[in-house]
Amino acid sequence: MRRSGILNSLIFLLLILSILLFIISFFQKDRTSSVEKEVEELSLNLYQETYQLKKRMKVLEEELLMDGNGSQNQSFSPPRNEINAILKNQVIALHKQGLNVEQISKQSALPITDVQKIILQLS
C-alpha cells in the first residue's frame, strides 16, 4: 500500500509540475516574433538601399547622356576611325554565321558602313 501511495503522490506532483510549466509557457517571450521583426526591418532596409542605388544610377546615366553644353548626346557609337576590337570580332563572327549586313548592324549597334568596312578588311 505504501508503494501505491508514493506512486500516486509522484503522479500528482508530476501533474502539478506539467500544469505549472504549461502556464509558464504562455508567459514566455515569443522568439519568432522578434526574428520576424528583424527580417522585416532588414528587408525594408534592402528595398530602400536598392531604391537609392537605382536613383543614383538614373542620375549618373542622365549625366553621361549630357555633353558639356547641356544638350543630350544622341549617339553611343564609337568615333568613326576607332572601332573596338570586341565589336570587330562580333561582326566577324556574325558574318561567318551567314547574317547579312543589316542584321549585323542591328546586333552590333554599328552603322552599316562600319560593318561593311570590317567585312571588307577580312577579304
Side-chain angles (χ1 to χ4, degrees):
M1 281 247 172
R2 186 167 177 153
R3 196 169 202 176
S4 76
I6 293 174
L7 259 172
N8 284 340
S9 63
L10 185 60
I11 290 174
F12 181 71
L13 184 65
L14 287 174
L15 181 66
I16 298 244
L17 183 63
S18 66
I19 292 172
L20 252 169
L21 289 174
F22 185 70
I23 292 171
I24 290 173
S25 71
F26 281 110
F27 297 108
Q28 195 80 15
K29 186 176 179 182
D30 188 17
R31 293 185 182 132
T32 58
S33 65
S34 64
V35 170
E36 286 175 354
K37 286 179 184 178
E38 286 179 25
V39 168
E40 186 176 329
E41 287 176 18
L42 284 172
S43 175
L44 286 173
N45 286 339
L46 179 66
Y47 285 130
Q48 288 174 346
E49 289 176 9
T50 304
Y51 174 75
Q52 291 295 327
L53 285 173
K54 285 181 181 179
K55 244 171 97 173
R56 289 179 188 168
M57 288 293 293
K58 185 176 180 181
V59 168
L60 286 173
E61 287 172 351
E62 288 173 359
E63 287 178 5
L64 288 173
L65 290 174
M66 302 296 272
D67 63 7
N69 299 330
S71 64
Q72 218 168 6
N73 186 3
Q74 298 294 327
S75 172
F76 286 112
S77 63
R80 293 279 178 191
N81 55 0
E82 293 181 29
I83 298 175
N84 191 337
I86 296 172
L87 282 174
K88 286 182 181 179
N89 290 335
Q90 180 186 14
V91 169
I92 293 167
L94 292 172
H95 179 68
K96 287 181 180 177
Q97 290 176 8
L99 274 71
N100 63 30
V101 176
E102 290 82 16
Q103 292 171 327
I104 295 172
S105 174
K106 286 180 184 176
Q107 287 191 13
S108 64
L110 288 172
I112 292 175
T113 56
D114 289 347
V115 172
Q116 289 171 338
K117 287 178 189 176
I118 295 170
I119 292 172
L120 287 175
Q121 288 175 356
L122 286 175
S123 303

